[in-house]
Amino acid sequence: MIRVDLASDTKTRPTPAMRRAMAEAEVGDEQAFEDPTVDALCARTAELLGHEAAVFLPSGTMANQIAFRLLTRPGDEVLVEATTHPLHFESGGPAANAYCMFRPLTGERGKFTADQVTDAVRGGFRHHPRTSVVAIENTTNLGGGAVWTVDEVAAVAAAARAEGVKVHMDGARLANAAVATGVPLAAYGRLCDTVWLDFSKGLGAPVGACLAGSKDAVHEAWRIKQQLGGAMRQAGIIAAAALHALDHHLDRLADDHARAARLAAAVAAIDGLALVNPPVETNLVFFSTEGSGWSAPALSEALAARGVRIGAMGPHHLRACTHLDVDDAGIETAIAALRAAVGG
Ligand SMILES: Cc1ncc(COP(=O)(O)O)c(C=O)c1O
């Protein structure tokens, strides 16, 4: 039986208090703007992200799709870092839904620089695709949970704007970035044309994300949400969970970061294991088994047999995510399982 699940920060279950908030939520038909809880969540998230408006969506994946639809025309090019989520894990959605192309930039830890943006933006030559968006993932997922600082985002955004290119931010773990840097979410959000915040990752809600932008952008986002089948009905029941998460689960992300740092230090001390993309800044710990003789899938299975789930991300890489449902004791259990399996 799995006792400590570090496979993803999506593994959290609603707490009893969150379930109560859901049960007691005032609801209505959200697509007719009759759900006060959804409306409150959108207003709150828009303000948090420093924008005029926001729209509640079933997932961050849909937020990305809608943003690319909003910001590109068919055939346009989006600059992304080579490891970014929508390039690898959204089923080709940007191509299927927005008819845009992705141009991967090779960065470090999932981040790229303003100079890379300036170099990559196409001129107006008719044979080239038009570069219309730069998409930033903050924190980076495959980049190891690295945080973009506000200055880094500002530099990239300035380089993009100088070329007439829009800025989108994937905020699957933006709350982690804000807590790690101590900077308000809006400091990041204001630098972007569109930005979204996921409630179903570190914040611990079961469903949902809000995409924020100008009133006009959100008005148009609603049309695309409708087209994609994302318009809901009594969605206040899930928006209540997200509001509860904003009230109670934001600051505690610092605990997840401290636990990830503890796990990372222990992993680094085990002979044969090595951290990938260090340092660990937030809640993701990637490590390699290359020096241990273990393959990642085999180690993942051996850990599962000891009640600990850490997912294999390739032949030799594993990823552990800390979250609301893993406490200090859980981290010590995971460390003991790793030591017992690998030795050291
Ligand atoms: C960086 C990043 N972007 C987008 C997503 C998609 O979010 P959702 O699971 O809410 O669709 C994820 C999910 O893991 C992610 O890690």
Side-chain angles (χ1 to χ4, degrees), residues 8-10 57-64 83-86 89-90 136-142 170-173 196-201 207-209 284 319:
S8 173
D9 45 8
T10 58
L57 299 168
S59 68
T61 299
M62 191 180 281
N64 275 339
T83 60
T84 196
H85 194 274
F89 301 112
E90 296 182 11
I136 294 171
E137 189 176 292
N138 195 15
T139 66
T140 66
N141 181 347
L142 294 191
D170 175 324
R173 297 184 182 80
W196 58 271
L197 182 67
D198 216 325
F199 304 115
S200 70
K201 299 214 161 51
V207 193
L284 307 183
R319 184 189 74 167

